[in-house]
Amino acid sequence: MHPGSLSEQYNVCGKPRCRCKDPKKPRRHGPYYQLGFTWRGKSTSRFVRPERVTEIRHKVENYKQFRELVNEWVDLSVELERATSKQRHGD
Ligand SMILES: [Zn+2]
């Protein structure tokens, strides 16, 4: 699994008269894939090679799902604690 999200980028290069600077129909270079994420307070982003995009997409999905499940678990735990302590006070 991996935190973050994948984004696609299209860039303009430095070459004169390149297709990316065509005055009528500019076609930028790309897509370039980038994985941006924040982990332990540190933000990072790195480029992902095209052949790894599918794998990384899966990892990002797995992480998202994992976090949702953990959040549900914590919700239930908090709710249980609340209900339990209420019950004890009621005795
Ligand atoms: Zn170009």
XYZ file of all heavy atoms in Angstrom:
768
model
N 0.837 -1.197 0.000
C 0.000 0.000 0.000
C 0.871 1.244 0.000
O 2.053 1.193 0.360
C -0.932 -0.004 1.212
C -0.224 -0.001 2.549
S -1.415 0.196 3.873
C -1.550 -1.477 4.462
N 0.267 2.333 -0.398
C 1.030 3.585 -0.427
C 0.081 4.774 -0.282
O -0.932 4.827 -0.968
C 1.791 3.699 -1.745
C 2.988 4.593 -1.658
N 2.883 5.947 -1.472
C 4.297 4.319 -1.712
C 4.095 6.462 -1.423
N 4.974 5.507 -1.568
N 0.431 5.729 0.588
C -0.420 6.920 0.706
C -0.232 7.847 -0.484
O 0.770 7.765 -1.191
C 0.101 7.582 1.989
C 1.518 7.152 2.093
C 1.590 5.771 1.483
N -1.209 8.738 -0.682
C -1.059 9.780 -1.692
C -2.016 9.639 -2.860
O -2.973 8.877 -2.812
N -1.746 10.403 -3.891
C -2.567 10.319 -5.088
C -1.708 10.527 -6.332
O -0.700 11.232 -6.310
C -3.709 11.337 -5.037
O -3.179 12.642 -4.991
N -2.158 9.879 -7.406
C -1.451 9.966 -8.675
C -2.027 11.086 -9.512
O -3.237 11.272 -9.572
C -1.625 8.663 -9.449
C -0.566 7.571 -9.307
C -1.012 6.351 -10.097
C 0.787 8.043 -9.792
N -1.143 11.845 -10.163
C -1.652 12.853 -11.079
C -0.893 12.780 -12.404
O 0.237 12.302 -12.467
C -1.522 14.238 -10.457
O -0.165 14.545 -10.224
N -1.566 13.250 -13.433
C -0.974 13.282 -14.777
C -0.520 14.696 -15.088
O -1.213 15.651 -14.766
C -2.029 12.912 -15.824
C -2.190 11.450 -16.058
C -3.243 11.174 -17.126
O -3.472 12.033 -18.000
O -3.843 10.095 -17.061
N 0.619 14.785 -15.737
C 1.103 16.112 -16.125
C 1.498 16.134 -17.590
O 2.005 15.151 -18.114
C 2.317 16.481 -15.295
C 1.990 16.915 -13.899
C 3.213 17.491 -13.223
O 4.297 17.475 -13.781
N 3.022 18.000 -12.027
N 1.268 17.274 -18.186
C 1.718 17.510 -19.566
C 2.607 18.744 -19.556
O 2.210 19.780 -19.033
C 0.525 17.712 -20.498
C -0.304 16.462 -20.656
C -1.273 16.139 -19.710
C -0.102 15.607 -21.723
C -2.025 14.976 -19.830
C -0.845 14.442 -21.861
C -1.807 14.134 -20.914
O -2.534 12.989 -21.039
N 3.803 18.593 -20.107
C 4.784 19.680 -19.996
C 5.170 20.290 -21.339
O 4.999 19.694 -22.393
C 6.049 19.173 -19.316
C 5.810 18.770 -17.873
O 4.827 19.199 -17.267
N 6.667 17.944 -17.335
N 5.731 21.474 -21.238
C 6.325 22.180 -22.375
C 7.840 22.100 -22.205
O 8.352 22.270 -21.102
C 5.857 23.655 -22.379
C 6.536 24.438 -23.489
C 4.348 23.728 -22.530
N 8.564 21.816 -23.302
C 10.015 21.676 -23.198
C 10.739 22.945 -23.662
O 10.112 23.953 -23.950
C 10.500 20.468 -24.007
S 10.447 20.744 -25.783
N 12.038 22.876 -23.715
C 12.840 24.046 -24.053
C 13.210 24.152 -25.523
O 13.812 25.140 -25.941
N 12.891 23.111 -26.301
C 13.286 23.118 -27.712
C 12.462 24.121 -28.519
O 11.233 24.125 -28.430
C 13.103 21.724 -28.327
C 14.210 20.744 -27.977
C 13.972 19.420 -28.686
C 13.856 18.296 -27.674
N 13.106 17.141 -28.185
N 13.161 24.935 -29.323
C 12.408 25.861 -30.172
C 11.661 25.098 -31.275
O 12.149 24.084 -31.764
C 13.484 26.776 -30.760
C 14.776 26.054 -30.601
C 14.615 25.060 -29.492
N 10.539 25.592 -31.656
C 9.714 25.001 -32.714
C 9.299 23.556 -32.432
O 9.054 22.797 -33.349
C 10.432 25.076 -34.077
C 10.584 26.516 -34.590
C 11.011 26.554 -36.053
N 12.234 25.787 -36.280
C 13.474 26.244 -36.014
N 13.649 27.449 -35.522
N 14.523 25.503 -36.257
N 9.234 23.184 -31.190
C 8.779 21.832 -30.838
C 7.258 21.795 -30.951
O 6.588 22.827 -30.919
C 9.226 21.485 -29.422
S 8.794 19.808 -28.938
N 6.718 20.579 -31.073
C 5.257 20.421 -31.201
C 4.507 20.986 -29.990
O 3.353 21.390 -30.096
C 4.891 18.951 -31.386
C 5.191 18.063 -30.177
C 4.635 16.675 -30.431
N 5.101 15.687 -29.474
C 4.374 15.283 -28.420
N 3.183 15.786 -28.195
N 4.859 14.367 -27.603
N 5.234 21.046 -28.842
C 4.562 21.548 -27.646
C 4.386 23.071 -27.698
O 3.683 23.637 -26.858
C 5.316 21.130 -26.384
S 6.962 21.805 -26.229
N 5.051 23.707 -28.678
C 4.910 25.165 -28.786
C 4.251 25.589 -30.094
O 4.277 26.755 -30.458
C 6.279 25.827 -28.668
C 6.884 25.690 -27.288
C 7.877 26.807 -27.038
C 8.754 26.508 -25.842
N 9.876 25.609 -26.167
N 3.701 24.628 -30.801
C 3.014 24.922 -32.059
C 1.960 25.997 -31.814
O 1.098 25.846 -30.951
C 2.354 23.639 -32.588
C 1.850 23.811 -34.009
O 0.917 24.632 -34.219
O 2.370 23.121 -34.898
N 2.058 27.119 -32.559
C 1.133 28.234 -32.297
C -0.327 27.868 -32.571
O -1.236 28.402 -31.919
C 1.599 29.338 -33.248
C 2.627 28.755 -34.141
C 3.000 27.384 -33.653
N -0.543 26.985 -33.562
C -1.925 26.643 -33.893
C -2.461 25.515 -33.012
O -3.557 25.584 -32.475
C -2.029 26.226 -35.371
C -2.090 27.435 -36.292
C -2.060 27.011 -37.760
C -1.685 28.197 -38.640
N -1.076 27.753 -39.924
N -1.677 24.437 -32.921
C -2.178 23.276 -32.187
C -1.071 22.702 -31.306
O -0.450 21.693 -31.647
C -2.672 22.217 -33.189
C -3.762 21.339 -32.626
C -4.184 20.267 -33.624
C -4.958 19.149 -32.942
N -4.832 17.878 -33.643
N -0.796 23.361 -30.184
C 0.278 22.877 -29.317
C -0.074 21.524 -28.686
O -1.187 21.351 -28.199
C 0.390 23.967 -28.243
C -0.895 24.694 -28.282
C -1.493 24.520 -29.639
N 0.858 20.593 -28.795
C 0.658 19.298 -28.141
C 1.782 19.107 -27.128
O 2.922 18.882 -27.477
C 0.663 18.167 -29.177
C -0.622 18.142 -30.015
C -0.598 17.002 -31.018
N 0.491 17.162 -31.966
C 1.353 16.177 -32.298
N 1.230 14.990 -31.761
N 2.318 16.397 -33.158
N 1.406 19.210 -25.880
C 2.396 19.122 -24.808
C 2.902 17.697 -24.639
O 2.249 16.744 -25.061
C 1.772 19.593 -23.494
C 1.464 21.069 -23.500
C 0.629 21.438 -22.304
N 0.763 22.861 -22.008
C 0.947 23.346 -20.790
N 0.989 22.544 -19.746
N 1.068 24.635 -20.611
N 4.074 17.576 -24.014
C 4.666 16.259 -23.763
C 4.023 15.602 -22.559
O 3.708 16.253 -21.586
C 6.176 16.394 -23.533
C 6.880 17.062 -24.667
N 7.212 16.398 -25.820
C 7.282 18.346 -24.827
C 7.825 17.258 -26.636
N 7.863 18.448 -26.058
N 3.878 14.304 -22.652
C 3.305 13.578 -21.531
C 2.364 12.493 -21.988
O 2.314 12.201 -23.178
N 1.599 11.908 -21.120
C 1.531 12.284 -19.700
C 2.748 11.807 -18.891
O 3.297 10.754 -19.163
C 0.281 11.557 -19.226
C 0.144 10.379 -20.117
C 0.727 10.777 -21.420
N 3.108 12.623 -17.909
C 4.053 12.209 -16.890
C 3.244 11.987 -15.625
O 2.374 12.784 -15.298
C 5.105 13.285 -16.652
C 5.900 13.623 -17.887
C 5.679 14.804 -18.576
C 6.841 12.736 -18.373
C 6.403 15.109 -19.725
C 7.565 13.027 -19.521
C 7.339 14.209 -20.191
O 8.041 14.496 -21.322
N 3.534 10.888 -14.954
C 2.770 10.560 -13.756
C 3.561 10.927 -12.518
O 4.774 10.725 -12.460
C 2.416 9.071 -13.741
C 1.518 8.695 -14.876
C 2.062 8.216 -16.068
C 0.140 8.852 -14.786
C 1.234 7.893 -17.139
C -0.687 8.533 -15.844
C -0.133 8.057 -17.021
O -0.936 7.742 -18.070
N 2.813 11.499 -11.593
C 3.445 11.934 -10.363
C 2.649 11.435 -9.170
O 1.420 11.480 -9.166
C 3.498 13.459 -10.356
C 4.682 14.010 -9.616
C 4.912 15.474 -9.924
O 4.074 16.122 -10.561
N 6.017 16.006 -9.473
N 3.371 10.948 -8.179
C 2.748 10.477 -6.951
C 3.068 11.465 -5.840
O 4.228 11.631 -5.461
C 3.289 9.079 -6.590
C 2.857 8.494 -5.254
C 1.350 8.255 -5.211
C 3.612 7.198 -4.989
N 2.026 12.133 -5.372
C 2.200 13.106 -4.291
C 1.639 12.554 -3.001
O 0.556 11.963 -3.005
N 2.351 12.709 -1.913
C 1.830 12.230 -0.639
C 2.482 12.939 0.532
O 3.582 13.499 0.425
C 2.019 10.718 -0.506
C 3.466 10.270 -0.488
C 4.106 10.027 0.719
C 4.161 10.104 -1.665
C 5.429 9.611 0.739
C 5.492 9.689 -1.654
C 6.124 9.442 -0.448
N 1.758 12.925 1.644
C 2.285 13.444 2.900
C 2.356 12.291 3.874
O 1.375 11.579 4.068
C 1.373 14.550 3.457
O 1.258 15.581 2.468
C 1.948 15.153 4.726
N 3.497 12.078 4.448
C 3.652 10.992 5.408
C 4.515 11.450 6.562
O 5.590 12.006 6.352
C 4.271 9.756 4.728
C 4.371 8.592 5.660
C 5.499 7.971 6.092
C 3.268 7.910 6.285
N 5.166 6.947 6.945
C 3.819 6.895 7.086
C 1.883 8.079 6.258
C 3.015 6.036 7.857
C 1.077 7.235 7.026
C 1.657 6.224 7.801
N 3.991 11.272 7.771
C 4.657 11.712 9.003
C 5.051 13.185 8.914
O 6.174 13.564 9.219
C 5.871 10.841 9.307
C 5.516 9.381 9.576
C 6.688 8.653 10.199
N 6.404 7.236 10.412
C 5.784 6.733 11.489
N 5.347 7.528 12.421
N 5.590 5.437 11.596
N 4.100 13.963 8.401
C 4.276 15.412 8.355
C 5.150 15.930 7.224
O 5.382 17.129 7.125
N 5.630 15.013 6.407
C 6.522 15.436 5.334
C 5.861 15.223 3.978
O 5.422 14.111 3.665
C 7.817 14.615 5.419
C 9.046 15.392 4.958
C 10.299 14.525 5.043
C 11.206 14.793 3.865
N 12.030 13.633 3.504
N 5.801 16.291 3.179
C 5.198 16.186 1.849
C 6.272 15.876 0.809
O 7.337 16.480 0.803
C 4.512 17.492 1.477
O 3.410 17.703 2.314
N 5.941 14.931 -0.038
C 6.869 14.516 -1.086
C 6.088 14.293 -2.364
O 4.909 13.989 -2.320
C 7.552 13.170 -0.724
O 7.932 13.191 0.630
C 8.767 12.895 -1.589
N 6.756 14.457 -3.481
C 6.146 13.994 -4.717
C 7.260 13.462 -5.604
O 8.380 13.983 -5.608
C 5.357 15.116 -5.376
O 6.031 15.637 -6.478
N 6.942 12.356 -6.276
C 7.956 11.799 -7.160
C 7.333 11.285 -8.446
O 6.148 10.951 -8.490
C 8.759 10.704 -6.460
C 7.967 9.550 -5.911
C 8.905 8.493 -5.361
N 9.557 8.941 -4.132
C 9.382 8.332 -2.945
N 8.629 7.268 -2.861
N 9.976 8.795 -1.873
N 8.146 11.256 -9.478
C 7.659 10.778 -10.763
C 7.559 9.259 -10.766
O 8.347 8.568 -10.123
C 8.569 11.247 -11.894
C 8.366 12.695 -12.232
C 9.257 13.659 -11.792
C 7.245 13.091 -12.959
C 9.050 15.007 -12.085
C 7.024 14.434 -13.259
C 7.943 15.390 -12.819
N 6.552 8.771 -11.477
C 6.307 7.341 -11.586
C 6.444 6.948 -13.047
O 5.820 7.558 -13.919
C 4.879 6.988 -11.081
C 4.557 5.521 -11.306
C 4.737 7.342 -9.605
N 7.254 5.935 -13.306
C 7.414 5.475 -14.686
C 6.103 4.872 -15.189
O 5.394 4.210 -14.409
C 8.542 4.436 -14.769
C 9.918 5.094 -14.930
C 11.009 4.049 -15.014
N 11.500 3.701 -13.683
C 11.830 2.462 -13.295
N 11.692 1.451 -14.117
N 12.275 2.248 -12.077
N 5.788 5.083 -16.477
C 4.499 4.639 -17.023
C 4.205 3.157 -16.748
O 3.069 2.795 -16.453
C 4.639 4.874 -18.525
C 5.671 5.937 -18.658
C 6.607 5.795 -17.488
N 5.246 2.318 -16.828
C 5.005 0.880 -16.637
C 4.682 0.533 -15.185
O 4.272 -0.582 -14.885
C 6.205 0.056 -17.137
C 7.493 0.253 -16.363
C 8.398 1.318 -16.984
O 7.876 2.230 -17.658
O 9.625 1.229 -16.787
N 4.819 1.501 -14.277
C 4.516 1.216 -12.867
C 3.224 1.875 -12.403
O 2.833 1.736 -11.237
C 5.675 1.661 -11.985
C 6.966 0.916 -12.300
C 7.871 0.846 -11.119
N 7.234 0.225 -9.972
C 7.497 0.569 -8.709
N 8.342 1.509 -8.441
N 6.882 -0.046 -7.720
N 2.557 2.589 -13.320
C 1.367 3.353 -12.940
C 0.253 2.452 -12.400
O -0.344 2.758 -11.367
C 0.857 4.212 -14.129
C -0.559 4.699 -13.892
C 1.786 5.404 -14.345
N 0.014 1.327 -13.072
C -1.056 0.417 -12.639
C -0.775 -0.106 -11.230
O -1.675 -0.108 -10.375
C -1.198 -0.766 -13.621
O -1.366 -0.239 -14.931
C -2.399 -1.626 -13.276
N 0.446 -0.523 -11.009
C 0.840 -1.037 -9.697
C 0.678 0.033 -8.611
O 0.108 -0.228 -7.543
C 2.307 -1.488 -9.783
C 2.841 -2.116 -8.526
C 4.375 -2.209 -8.550
O 4.955 -2.100 -9.651
O 4.962 -2.359 -7.472
N 1.153 1.232 -8.897
C 1.071 2.309 -7.914
C -0.380 2.677 -7.638
O -0.780 2.936 -6.503
C 1.859 3.563 -8.382
C 3.344 3.244 -8.559
C 1.671 4.731 -7.435
C 4.088 2.881 -7.286
N -1.200 2.663 -8.707
C -2.621 2.966 -8.546
C -3.265 1.967 -7.571
O -4.059 2.349 -6.723
C -3.311 2.901 -9.918
C -4.574 3.713 -9.994
C -5.011 3.917 -11.426
N -4.475 5.161 -11.975
C -4.292 5.397 -13.260
N -4.595 4.483 -14.153
N -3.829 6.552 -13.666
N -2.905 0.698 -7.716
C -3.410 -0.324 -6.798
C -2.962 -0.066 -5.362
O -3.741 -0.192 -4.427
C -2.954 -1.721 -7.234
C -3.789 -2.301 -8.334
N -3.246 -2.946 -9.418
C -5.124 -2.310 -8.522
C -4.214 -3.331 -10.219
N -5.368 -2.946 -9.711
N -1.698 0.280 -5.221
C -1.171 0.547 -3.877
C -1.903 1.707 -3.222
O -2.219 1.663 -2.038
C 0.325 0.866 -3.947
C 1.179 -0.340 -4.253
C 2.647 0.012 -4.145
C 3.501 -1.241 -4.333
N 4.918 -0.981 -4.008
N -2.174 2.757 -4.000
C -2.873 3.928 -3.481
C -4.303 3.553 -3.073
O -4.797 3.965 -2.023
C -2.857 5.080 -4.519
C -3.843 6.175 -4.162
C -1.449 5.662 -4.646
N -4.949 2.724 -3.915
C -6.302 2.245 -3.609
C -6.308 1.417 -2.327
O -7.192 1.573 -1.488
C -6.857 1.398 -4.772
C -7.606 2.199 -5.813
C -8.657 3.122 -5.201
O -9.522 2.615 -4.439
O -8.614 4.340 -5.455
N -5.344 0.510 -2.224
C -5.233 -0.339 -1.027
C -5.095 0.500 0.232
O -5.731 0.220 1.249
C -4.012 -1.262 -1.133
C -4.277 -2.459 -2.008
O -5.425 -2.795 -2.291
N -3.213 -3.104 -2.449
N -4.265 1.510 0.148
C -4.033 2.364 1.306
C -5.318 3.086 1.714
O -5.676 3.145 2.887
C -2.929 3.378 1.010
C -2.675 4.311 2.163
C -2.026 3.861 3.296
C -3.110 5.629 2.118
C -1.801 4.706 4.374
C -2.887 6.483 3.183
C -2.235 6.023 4.304
O -2.025 6.867 5.350
N -6.024 3.616 0.692
C -7.265 4.338 0.939
C -8.271 3.429 1.651
O -8.904 3.829 2.618
C -7.839 4.824 -0.397
C -8.512 6.182 -0.313
C -8.981 6.649 -1.687
C -7.865 7.290 -2.478
N -8.276 7.623 -3.862
N -8.378 2.215 1.127
C -9.325 1.260 1.698
C -8.914 0.873 3.119
O -9.759 0.782 4.015
C -9.382 0.015 0.815
C -10.690 -0.729 0.938
C -10.800 -1.842 -0.088
O -9.877 -2.075 -0.884
N -11.911 -2.542 -0.078
N -7.630 0.660 3.299
C -7.102 0.325 4.622
C -7.456 1.418 5.632
O -7.953 1.143 6.722
C -5.583 0.136 4.528
C -4.910 -0.040 5.851
C -5.000 -1.238 6.550
C -4.161 0.994 6.393
C -4.363 -1.400 7.771
C -3.520 0.841 7.612
C -3.623 -0.348 8.310
N -7.246 2.673 5.236
C -7.539 3.776 6.137
C -9.028 3.863 6.463
O -9.403 4.146 7.594
C -7.057 5.108 5.538
C -5.546 5.259 5.506
C -4.944 5.125 6.898
N -5.333 6.209 7.759
C -4.542 7.208 8.134
N -3.297 7.253 7.718
N -4.981 8.154 8.918
N -9.868 3.607 5.453
C -11.308 3.640 5.705
C -11.712 2.578 6.715
O -12.519 2.825 7.603
C -12.081 3.442 4.392
C -12.303 4.747 3.644
C -12.781 4.533 2.218
O -13.403 3.485 1.954
O -12.508 5.409 1.366
N -11.152 1.387 6.550
C -11.472 0.297 7.472
C -10.972 0.600 8.881
O -11.678 0.349 9.857
C -10.872 -1.024 6.965
C -11.534 -1.603 5.720
C -10.712 -2.765 5.158
C -12.955 -2.062 6.014
N -9.774 1.151 8.980
C -9.231 1.507 10.293
C -10.112 2.586 10.932
O -10.435 2.502 12.120
C -7.763 1.973 10.185
C -7.297 2.603 11.494
C -6.856 0.814 9.815
N -10.529 3.569 10.142
C -11.405 4.618 10.664
C -12.708 4.041 11.201
O -13.182 4.450 12.262
C -11.699 5.667 9.584
C -10.521 6.608 9.361
O -9.563 6.620 10.139
N -10.570 7.376 8.300
N -13.280 3.091 10.447
C -14.514 2.445 10.913
C -14.278 1.718 12.229
O -15.096 1.768 13.151
C -14.990 1.418 9.870
C -16.063 1.949 8.932
C -16.424 0.901 7.899
O -16.839 -0.207 8.301
O -16.266 1.186 6.697
N -13.187 1.034 12.291
C -12.814 0.283 13.478
C -12.700 1.218 14.677
O -13.235 0.956 15.756
C -11.487 -0.436 13.203
C -11.069 -1.462 14.213
C -11.786 -1.904 15.290
C -9.831 -2.172 14.221
N -11.063 -2.843 15.968
C -9.860 -3.029 15.338
C -8.696 -2.168 13.397
C -8.796 -3.877 15.645
C -7.647 -3.006 13.701
C -7.700 -3.850 14.809
N -12.008 2.340 14.488
C -11.833 3.309 15.571
C -13.180 3.920 15.952
O -13.482 4.085 17.139
C -10.790 4.394 15.194
C -10.698 5.468 16.268
C -9.415 3.763 14.964
N -14.029 4.216 14.944
C -15.384 4.713 15.222
C -16.115 3.784 16.184
O -16.707 4.220 17.173
C -16.216 4.782 13.926
C -15.894 6.020 13.102
O -15.219 6.931 13.624
O -16.310 6.065 11.927
N -16.075 2.507 15.841
C -16.780 1.517 16.646
C -16.185 1.408 18.044
O -16.906 1.277 19.035
C -16.738 0.148 15.956
C -17.568 0.033 14.677
C -17.259 -1.272 13.950
C -19.053 0.141 14.977
N -14.881 1.498 18.098
C -14.183 1.415 19.374
C -14.553 2.594 20.277
O -14.805 2.423 21.472
C -12.675 1.380 19.104
O -11.974 1.145 20.287
N -14.590 3.792 19.676
C -14.954 4.989 20.425
C -16.403 4.881 20.904
O -16.728 5.187 22.060
C -14.749 6.258 19.548
C -15.400 7.483 20.178
C -13.255 6.496 19.320
N -17.261 4.416 20.004
C -18.676 4.255 20.331
C -18.866 3.237 21.463
O -19.626 3.459 22.399
C -19.435 3.814 19.069
C -20.913 3.556 19.261
C -21.653 4.766 19.834
O -21.270 5.918 19.521
O -22.609 4.546 20.602
N -18.124 2.146 21.371
C -18.199 1.103 22.393
C -17.748 1.651 23.749
O -18.401 1.405 24.779
C -17.322 -0.093 21.978
C -17.254 -1.256 22.965
C -18.626 -1.914 23.126
C -16.220 -2.284 22.510
N -16.669 2.396 23.744
C -16.148 2.962 24.985
C -17.169 3.917 25.614
O -17.403 3.895 26.816
C -14.824 3.680 24.698
C -14.179 4.327 25.894
C -13.969 3.371 27.068
O -13.701 2.166 26.812
O -14.085 3.809 28.219
N -17.794 4.725 24.736
C -18.802 5.666 25.209
C -19.977 4.930 25.852
O -20.406 5.263 26.957
C -19.284 6.528 24.035
C -19.904 7.855 24.418
C -20.210 8.672 23.170
N -21.159 7.976 22.296
C -22.475 8.155 22.320
N -22.986 9.021 23.149
N -23.260 7.487 21.495
N -20.454 3.909 25.128
C -21.597 3.141 25.611
C -21.248 2.428 26.919
O -22.054 2.385 27.847
C -22.033 2.137 24.551
N -20.046 1.876 26.991
C -19.624 1.133 28.178
C -19.536 2.040 29.395
O -20.023 1.710 30.470
C -18.258 0.454 27.926
O -18.350 -0.343 26.751
C -17.856 -0.418 29.106
N -18.921 3.210 29.210
C -18.743 4.078 30.374
C -20.078 4.671 30.833
O -20.295 4.887 32.012
C -17.708 5.163 30.103
O -18.240 6.144 29.243
N -20.985 4.894 29.886
C -22.323 5.388 30.230
C -23.053 4.358 31.100
O -23.649 4.677 32.124
C -23.127 5.632 28.948
C -24.203 6.700 29.096
C -25.108 6.732 27.887
C -24.652 7.777 26.875
N -25.464 7.714 25.641
N -22.923 3.089 30.667
C -23.575 1.991 31.360
C -23.059 1.881 32.805
O -23.826 1.760 33.741
C -23.260 0.688 30.608
C -24.236 -0.427 30.858
C -23.891 -1.627 29.976
O -22.718 -1.898 29.746
N -24.895 -2.314 29.489
N -21.715 1.993 32.928
C -21.105 1.868 34.263
C -21.599 2.993 35.192
O -21.879 2.762 36.348
C -19.567 1.951 34.158
C -18.974 0.834 33.325
C -18.134 -0.133 34.152
N -17.876 -1.372 33.416
C -16.874 -1.530 32.559
N -16.017 -0.562 32.344
N -16.718 -2.688 31.945
N -21.692 4.233 34.627
C -22.133 5.358 35.446
C -23.583 5.189 35.866
O -23.979 5.682 36.909
C -21.946 6.681 34.688
C -20.509 7.110 34.654
N -19.841 7.488 35.775
C -19.630 7.184 33.633
C -18.583 7.792 35.441
N -18.427 7.621 34.151
N -24.347 4.488 35.025
C -25.762 4.305 35.300
C -26.031 3.324 36.431
O -27.110 3.341 37.013
N -25.050 2.485 36.754
C -25.254 1.455 37.775
C -25.547 2.016 39.166
O -24.952 2.983 39.592
C -24.007 0.562 37.883
C -23.965 -0.435 36.718
O -24.982 -0.572 36.031
O -22.893 -1.030 36.509
Zn 8.546 20.171 -26.683
